[in-house]
Amino acid sequence: MAMFFKPAPNKVTVPLMDELTPLAGELSEGSIAGVITTDLFSQNLIQYSSLAGALNAGVRAYYIDPSNGFSVELFSRFGEGEVLVGKVYSAGELVRALEIVEENSFVFVSNFSILGAGEGDVVGLRRLIDEKGLYAVFSQNTLELNELNLNAEYRRLFVLPELYEYLIVIRSSSYRGHYRLNVSLSKLPALHIKNVGEHSITVDEKAKLLMGE
């Protein structure tokens, strides 16, 4: 049933990554970020940085993936606290998983496109995330990306990109021991709309954590 409500200021927000915050801001309750990465370096940086950011903000964190994509040892380099890990193998199982997570929690879903979500599934996920006040990241690492038509890629991987507050592509590059993320910010909340476009971010400190240096 349709209803209206008076928006309230967000009291708790979660950073996707500290280095991205000046450009993209932070996730608020009931928001979804669709993040495409083109290499494992970028995927691991956004994954562990966002999970650590949630715990640092006092928010319970969940990691959901159809594969064995979470390393407790690696996460310990980024932050402290308990991440609850779950496995799902279909969009229906993801819906049921979100039904049992605690309200106002952070949820990182890796390999989202592999779950085979259709439009109805994504609308159902959107409803759950709104109702439970979740902070959600749907992520997909892919080696095949049409850089000339990112809008079509968002639709291919995330089905209904109109329902996401953030649409981001992250790629990594390195030169002589220095690391950068080349980031396409395609969709952002209105407060940060001026930063939609292409950016390059230095991530040397985060790279040291990932590499164990």
Side-chain angles (χ1 to χ4, degrees):
M1 181 177 66
M3 61 183 297
F4 293 90
F5 63 95
K6 184 176 181 179
N10 290 296
K11 296 181 180 179
V12 178
T13 57
V14 173
L16 285 169
M17 184 187 298
D18 291 339
E19 293 82 354
L20 267 178
T21 297
L23 296 170
E26 298 185 343
L27 291 176
S28 58
E29 289 182 7
S31 60
I32 312 175
V35 180
I36 301 172
T37 57
T38 62
D39 54 85
L40 291 176
F41 183 91
S42 300
Q43 169 68 13
N44 281 281
L45 276 191
I46 193 70
Q47 174 178 307
Y48 293 110
S49 294
S50 61
L51 288 165
L55 292 174
N56 288 339
V59 175
R60 170 154 283 198
Y62 295 81
Y63 175 84
I64 301 174
D65 189 356
S67 65
N68 296 313
F70 185 82
S71 167
V72 174
E73 181 179 354
L74 187 52
F75 173 73
S76 67
R77 301 175 188 172
F78 286 77
E80 298 180 353
E82 181 182 65
V83 176
L84 298 177
V85 178
K87 283 192 174 185
V88 298
Y89 303 97
S90 69
E93 290 184 358
L94 176 58
V95 170
R96 291 191 290 275
L98 293 189
E99 287 175 343
I100 62 175
V101 304
E102 290 189 10
E103 293 185 357
N104 310 120
S105 296
F106 174 80
V107 181
F108 191 102
V109 181
S110 186
N111 290 314
F112 177 75
S113 71
I114 294 174
L115 302 177
E119 291 187 0
D121 298 309
V122 175
V123 171
L125 290 166
R126 170 80 264 182
R127 182 191 296 275
L128 271 174
I129 288 163
D130 283 336
E131 291 176 347
K132 303 191 76 167
L134 303 179
Y135 309 79
V137 177
F138 293 170
S139 174
Q140 181 62 50
N141 188 59
T142 179
L143 298 178
E144 298 180 359
L145 186 71
N146 183 356
E147 296 278 3
L148 299 178
N149 193 353
L150 289 183
N151 288 335
E153 294 296 87
Y154 290 127
R155 190 165 301 280
R156 175 175 69 90
L157 296 173
F158 300 127
V159 186
L160 288 174
E162 296 86 354
L163 296 183
Y164 298 65
E165 282 77 17
Y166 299 80
L167 292 172
I168 302 172
V169 177
I170 304 176
R171 322 152 189 85
S172 68
S173 61
S174 62
Y175 180 71
R176 293 185 176 180
H178 295 284
Y179 295 83
R180 301 189 71 84
L181 294 183
N182 302 304
V183 182
S184 298
L185 299 176
S186 301
K187 185 179 181 182
L188 297 172
L191 187 62
H192 301 282
I193 196 171
K194 67 179 181 180
N195 294 323
V196 167
E198 303 298 318
H199 304 271
S200 184
I201 303 168
T202 300
V203 289
D204 285 344
E205 294 305 312
K206 283 286 195 312
K208 290 177 182 179
L209 297 177
L210 193 58
M211 302 300 183
E213 298 175 357

